[in-house]
Amino acid sequence: MSTVKPAEDLEADPRVKAVFDDIRTTRKSDFVNNMWRYLAFDPALLERTWAEVKAVMATPSTLDPLVKEMLYIAVSVTNGCSYCVHSHTAAAKAKGMTDAQYAELLAVVSLAGKTNQLATALQLPVDNVFDADRAKA
Amino acid sequence: MSTVKPAEDLEADPRVKAVFDDIRTTRKSDFVNNMWRYLAFDPALLERTWAEVKAVMATPSTLDPLVKEMLYIAVSVTNGCSYCVHSHTAAAKAKGMTDAQYAELLAVVSLAGKTNQLATALQLPVDNVFDADRAKA
Amino acid sequence: MSTVKPAEDLEADPRVKAVFDDIRTTRKSDFVNNMWRYLAFDPALLERTWAEVKAVMATPSTLDPLVKEMLYIAVSVTNGCSYCVHSHTAAAKAKGMTDAQYAELLAVVSLAGKTNQLATALQLPVDNVFDADRAKA
Amino acid sequence: MSTVKPAEDLEADPRVKAVFDDIRTTRKSDFVNNMWRYLAFDPALLERTWAEVKAVMATPSTLDPLVKEMLYIAVSVTNGCSYCVHSHTAAAKAKGMTDAQYAELLAVVSLAGKTNQLATALQLPVDNVFDADRAKA
Amino acid sequence: MSTVKPAEDLEADPRVKAVFDDIRTTRKSDFVNNMWRYLAFDPALLERTWAEVKAVMATPSTLDPLVKEMLYIAVSVTNGCSYCVHSHTAAAKAKGMTDAQYAELLAVVSLAGKTNQLATALQLPVDNVFDADRAKA
Amino acid sequence: MSTVKPAEDLEADPRVKAVFDDIRTTRKSDFVNNMWRYLAFDPALLERTWAEVKAVMATPSTLDPLVKEMLYIAVSVTNGCSYCVHSHTAAAKAKGMTDAQYAELLAVVSLAGKTNQLATALQLPVDNVFDADRAKA
């Protein structure tokens, strides 16, 4: 089920083809997943989205690529985005996430889901020491 | 603002005192933050919650302690839990998170917020290759 | 902080006064909380919202009034609605919620927050026996 | 998959039939979508829900009908309500939403998803000028 | 679709078998639902999760078992957890929830979803009387 | 309260100054709101975020600027982002949103919050006619 339907020959559009080629080169794989195939209904949106994902996720940086995938999973689970949970869990496994790491990721993410509820239910006042504004003032 | 009010002398209750002592020992700090002070209205809930947080967050494991704090931040931001965002950002900084790492955490977490919206809006079908059930069948 | 500001003399508007009077009569209290004072910027929205809240929450029915307040808290916590958490926790206490019941409410709501994360992370297939459509087919 | 199963002959119930007839008349279409077919398990809930949807969505007002559908999509995407995303995207298309408008809707909704995460992560203090209460004080 | 795949003979692992046996005994049923079958990929996570669910949901307490299931549904609906909505709605029905009670549960949960939006949109200031901290000060 | 603290003289950094100047020019106002002042702790994140907000929100397009602000409010309310609700409600008012339009925005957004809960609680199957993939197949 989806709200748009990809064209039969998506890559007939040179802007779409250019993005797909860059996805394949960046990922060293022929596979282009549905996120990009469905976003292609608007080539500008496809280009901008891929450019940002590439810059944030596929560029060497201060965070390990596997850590970034795990963070992506954490947000996607909390937002209940089924597609994103699937695609980023697959990406994390491809980047070497072990079963033990996955179990621990689940433990942290679900504990956060639990204590978030407690803190919000109690409407806890934020401790003064946690406030960067106040701390430096 | 809060929905309960901590007693004046919380540690007069030996169960509360035992938990607070363990928090201080585990964290090597005299400071006990509001989460625990407000949960103390029900000593059993306090004991169980602390036991779980200690087991998941303060026990050496396959994930780096800083990575666990970052995952906690990711969930807390997505759930909009103000208290938790503050307390775990402070914890991540105490565990060495640099400004550059924090900026990158924000980049990943906010990009996930963005693409979660896109995937949900398009109601993307999950690619078959992402399905563990199907993959092994 | 708010996005609208209540008029100085809200009850000069007869439609607003009629709603406020009904709130006072229904609740047997002179106090009218901010929800209604701020919604009054649009009398029609105020009237419709109060009519629905009164019908659902203040009319005898198959669910106990305290249970309904607890359900309201559960949703409000999960949505992170600070105002609603406060107002409905106060209402639940006014309807007799004990500290022990409150602690158990927190235990259930936070456990649900936790297992929701697990089920979504694992993308669990729904067991056939849970499907009403399939069950009767 | 669903939690209730519609009766074989839903319209044998005169209250259900009356609502369905009004849906058909209001929408000038014979099609009654699943939202109403499944809510029919409780005729009172069906009646109240349809009355409200008709009043808000199908009554001429200060907002354009297409804008109202887009707002509905924005909320439904953010809440991750698959059914609602589908039904209101279909409704928006039926009311004339073009592919270009849809792409822009996605751009706004996903950008909001992104900056919401940034503002919540940073726990930004609200600028005084944004506070209606303070502004008029 | 799922992110892990259960082993063919899950109960060959004695830790998994012990949990499954306890689930069967506690629930007086041979059926073990997917939540537990998929969590079994990490026996420690399975053990801890079941222990907590059993303690909170299957131990006599100040809240009625049916009320606890309804609270679980309320959170699961708000989080958009499809699996959890299904499993806990089935559990509530098994514990005697009538159609009238279910309709009322839906009325409360959906009204809360509505007024949460209103309160958050208006950024309502919390009435002083709702603040436990201030009340006792 | 915030997790970072802006430097005393933010605009001593030429990258920050360039963004702030562009914000002032684009908005024809000297005021730079906290979103940008706090993001400035990482100039690259500030530059990329502003560039995207400017491209999506401040560039003439197929959607009316006021409609875009209303969509932003709808997402921000649903995500419970207090800062974003405030800043975009202020922006919508600055772009001419009347009280009547605001009341109607609230009516649509809160109705969506309500029916999202109903559809998710019932786990409604998506009508075949809503599926773009199936429709064209």
Side-chain angles (χ1 to χ4, degrees):
Chain A
M1 293 252 167
S2 61
T3 63
V4 297
K5 183 172 170 53
E8 298 272 317
D9 185 7
L10 280 171
E11 301 187 51
D13 182 318
R15 295 171 70 185
V16 173
K17 183 172 180 353
V19 172
F20 283 20
D21 284 348
D22 193 38
I23 291 173
R24 292 186 181 106
T25 302
T26 304
R27 295 181 168 171
K28 300 182 176 58
S29 160
D30 273 354
F31 179 63
V32 175
N33 58 305
N34 281 340
M35 170 61 104
W36 311 112
R37 298 178 56 79
Y38 283 72
L39 274 179
F41 89 93
D42 188 84
L45 185 61
L46 172 70
E47 288 169 344
R48 294 197 316 261
T49 309
W50 166 247
E52 186 176 359
V53 169
K54 183 182 177 184
V56 175
M57 298 301 286
T59 308
S61 67
T62 62
L63 294 184
D64 183 81
L66 176 53
V67 169
K68 290 194 283 193
E69 291 296 348
M70 286 183 172
L71 291 168
Y72 225 111
I73 293 170
V75 173
S76 302
V77 166
T78 312
N79 271 333
C81 179
S82 175
Y83 184 85
C84 312
V85 170
H86 272 295
S87 60
H88 290 278
T89 303
K93 288 181 180 179
K95 291 195 170 80
M97 181 173 69
T98 64
D99 272 10
Q101 288 174 316
Y102 184 49
E104 193 162 350
L105 168 65
L106 295 183
V108 174
V109 163
S110 63
L111 176 60
K114 181 187 190 176
T115 60
N116 283 188
Q117 295 283 80
L118 291 173
T120 301
L122 291 166
Q123 292 287 300
L124 297 178
V126 179
D127 304 80
N128 287 343
V129 297
F130 295 156
D131 183 11
D133 257 358
R134 204 176 300 196
K136 281 201 200 173
Chain B
M1 294 249 167
S2 62
T3 64
V4 297
K5 182 171 172 53
E8 297 271 316
D9 185 7
L10 280 171
E11 302 187 52
D13 182 319
R15 295 173 70 184
V16 173
K17 182 171 179 358
V19 172
F20 283 20
D21 283 346
D22 194 37
I23 291 172
R24 292 186 181 107
T25 303
T26 304
R27 294 180 170 173
K28 300 181 176 60
S29 160
D30 273 353
F31 179 62
V32 175
N33 58 305
N34 281 339
M35 169 62 104
W36 312 111
R37 298 176 58 78
Y38 283 72
L39 275 179
F41 88 94
D42 189 85
L45 185 60
L46 172 69
E47 289 168 344
R48 295 198 315 262
T49 308
W50 167 247
E52 187 176 0
V53 168
K54 184 182 176 183
V56 174
M57 299 301 286
T59 308
S61 67
T62 63
L63 294 184
D64 184 80
L66 176 53
V67 169
K68 290 194 284 193
E69 291 295 348
M70 285 183 172
L71 291 168
Y72 226 110
I73 294 170
V75 173
S76 303
V77 166
T78 312
N79 271 333
C81 179
S82 173
Y83 184 85
C84 313
V85 170
H86 272 296
S87 61
H88 290 279
T89 303
K93 289 180 179 179
K95 290 195 170 84
M97 181 174 68
T98 64
D99 272 11
Q101 287 174 317
Y102 185 48
E104 191 162 351
L105 169 65
L106 295 184
V108 173
V109 164
S110 63
L111 176 60
K114 180 185 190 177
T115 61
N116 282 188
Q117 295 283 81
L118 291 173
T120 300
L122 292 166
Q123 292 287 300
L124 297 178
V126 178
D127 305 81
N128 287 342
V129 297
F130 294 155
D131 182 13
D133 258 358
R134 204 177 299 196
K136 282 201 197 171
Chain C
M1 293 251 167
S2 62
T3 64
V4 296
K5 181 171 173 53
E8 297 271 317
D9 185 8
L10 280 170
E11 301 187 51
D13 182 318
R15 294 172 71 184
V16 173
K17 182 172 182 352
V19 172
F20 282 20
D21 283 346
D22 194 39
I23 291 173
R24 292 187 181 106
T25 302
T26 304
R27 294 180 169 172
K28 300 182 178 57
S29 160
D30 273 353
F31 179 63
V32 176
N33 58 305
N34 281 340
M35 170 62 105
W36 312 111
R37 298 177 57 77
Y38 283 73
L39 274 178
F41 88 93
D42 188 85
L45 185 61
L46 172 70
E47 287 169 345
R48 295 197 315 262
T49 308
W50 166 247
E52 186 176 359
V53 169
K54 184 182 176 182
V56 174
M57 298 301 285
T59 308
S61 68
T62 63
L63 294 183
D64 184 80
L66 176 53
V67 169
K68 290 195 283 193
E69 291 296 348
M70 285 183 172
L71 291 168
Y72 225 110
I73 294 170
V75 173
S76 303
V77 166
T78 313
N79 272 333
C81 179
S82 175
Y83 184 85
C84 312
V85 170
H86 271 295
S87 61
H88 290 279
T89 303
K93 288 181 179 180
K95 290 194 170 81
M97 181 173 68
T98 64
D99 273 10
Q101 288 174 316
Y102 184 48
E104 192 162 350
L105 168 65
L106 295 184
V108 174
V109 163
S110 63
L111 177 60
K114 181 185 189 175
T115 61
N116 283 188
Q117 296 283 78
L118 290 173
T120 300
L122 290 166
Q123 292 286 301
L124 297 178
V126 179
D127 304 80
N128 287 344
V129 296
F130 294 154
D131 182 12
D133 258 357
R134 203 177 300 197
K136 284 201 196 172
Chain D
M1 293 251 168
S2 61
T3 63
V4 297
K5 182 172 172 55
E8 297 271 317
D9 185 6
L10 280 171
E11 301 187 51
D13 182 319
R15 293 171 72 185
V16 173
K17 183 174 181 350
V19 172
F20 283 19
D21 283 347
D22 193 39
I23 291 173
R24 292 187 182 105
T25 303
T26 303
R27 294 183 168 169
K28 299 182 177 58
S29 160
D30 272 353
F31 179 63
V32 176
N33 58 305
N34 281 339
M35 169 62 104
W36 311 112
R37 298 177 57 78
Y38 283 72
L39 274 179
F41 89 93
D42 188 84
L45 185 61
L46 172 69
E47 288 169 344
R48 293 197 317 262
T49 308
W50 166 246
E52 186 176 358
V53 168
K54 184 181 176 184
V56 174
M57 299 301 286
T59 308
S61 67
T62 62
L63 294 185
D64 184 79
L66 176 53
V67 168
K68 290 195 284 193
E69 291 296 347
M70 286 183 172
L71 291 168
Y72 225 111
I73 293 170
V75 173
S76 302
V77 166
T78 312
N79 271 333
C81 179
S82 175
Y83 183 85
C84 312
V85 170
H86 272 295
S87 60
H88 290 279
T89 303
K93 289 181 179 178
K95 291 196 169 80
M97 181 174 68
T98 63
D99 272 11
Q101 287 174 316
Y102 184 49
E104 192 162 351
L105 168 65
L106 295 184
V108 174
V109 164
S110 63
L111 176 61
K114 180 186 191 176
T115 61
N116 282 188
Q117 295 283 79
L118 291 174
T120 300
L122 291 166
Q123 292 286 299
L124 297 178
V126 178
D127 305 79
N128 288 343
V129 297
F130 294 155
D131 183 12
D133 257 358
R134 204 177 300 195
K136 281 200 198 173
Chain E
M1 292 251 169
S2 61
T3 63
V4 297
K5 182 172 172 52
E8 297 271 317
D9 185 7
L10 280 171
E11 301 188 50
D13 182 318
R15 295 171 71 184
V16 173
K17 182 172 180 357
V19 171
F20 283 21
D21 284 346
D22 193 38
I23 291 173
R24 292 187 181 105
T25 302
T26 304
R27 295 182 169 171
K28 300 181 176 60
S29 159
D30 273 353
F31 179 63
V32 176
N33 58 306
N34 281 339
M35 170 61 104
W36 312 112
R37 299 176 57 77
Y38 283 73
L39 274 179
F41 88 93
D42 188 84
L45 185 61
L46 172 69
E47 288 169 344
R48 294 197 316 261
T49 308
W50 166 246
E52 186 176 0
V53 168
K54 184 182 177 182
V56 174
M57 298 301 285
T59 308
S61 67
T62 63
L63 295 184
D64 184 80
L66 176 53
V67 168
K68 290 194 284 193
E69 291 296 348
M70 286 183 171
L71 290 169
Y72 226 111
I73 294 170
V75 173
S76 302
V77 166
T78 311
N79 271 333
C81 180
S82 174
Y83 184 85
C84 312
V85 170
H86 272 296
S87 61
H88 289 279
T89 303
K93 289 181 180 179
K95 290 194 170 83
M97 181 174 68
T98 64
D99 272 10
Q101 288 174 316
Y102 185 49
E104 191 161 351
L105 168 65
L106 295 184
V108 174
V109 164
S110 63
L111 176 60
K114 181 185 188 177
T115 60
N116 282 188
Q117 295 283 80
L118 291 173
T120 301
L122 291 165
Q123 291 287 301
L124 297 178
V126 179
D127 304 80
N128 288 342
V129 297
F130 294 156
D131 183 13
D133 257 358
R134 205 177 298 197
K136 281 200 200 173
Chain F
M1 293 252 167
S2 62
T3 63
V4 296
K5 182 171 171 54
E8 297 271 316
D9 185 7
L10 280 171
E11 302 187 50
D13 182 318
R15 294 172 70 185
V16 173
K17 182 172 181 355
V19 172
F20 282 20
D21 283 347
D22 194 38
I23 291 174
R24 293 188 181 104
T25 302
T26 304
R27 294 182 170 170
K28 300 181 177 57
S29 160
D30 272 353
F31 179 63
V32 175
N33 58 304
N34 281 339
M35 170 62 105
W36 312 111
R37 298 176 57 77
Y38 284 72
L39 274 179
F41 88 94
D42 188 84
L45 185 60
L46 172 69
E47 288 169 344
R48 294 197 315 263
T49 308
W50 166 247
E52 186 176 358
V53 168
K54 183 181 177 183
V56 174
M57 299 301 285
T59 308
S61 67
T62 63
L63 294 185
D64 184 79
L66 176 53
V67 169
K68 290 194 284 193
E69 291 295 348
M70 286 183 171
L71 291 168
Y72 225 111
I73 294 170
V75 173
S76 302
V77 167
T78 312
N79 271 333
C81 179
S82 175
Y83 184 84
C84 312
V85 170
H86 272 295
S87 60
H88 290 279
T89 302
K93 289 181 180 179
K95 291 195 168 83
M97 181 173 69
T98 65
D99 272 10
Q101 287 174 317
Y102 184 49
E104 192 161 350
L105 168 65
L106 295 184
V108 174
V109 164
S110 63
L111 176 60
K114 181 186 190 176
T115 61
N116 283 188
Q117 295 283 78
L118 291 173
T120 301
L122 291 167
Q123 291 287 302
L124 297 178
V126 179
D127 304 80
N128 287 343
V129 296
F130 294 155
D131 182 13
D133 257 358
R134 204 177 299 197
K136 283 201 197 172

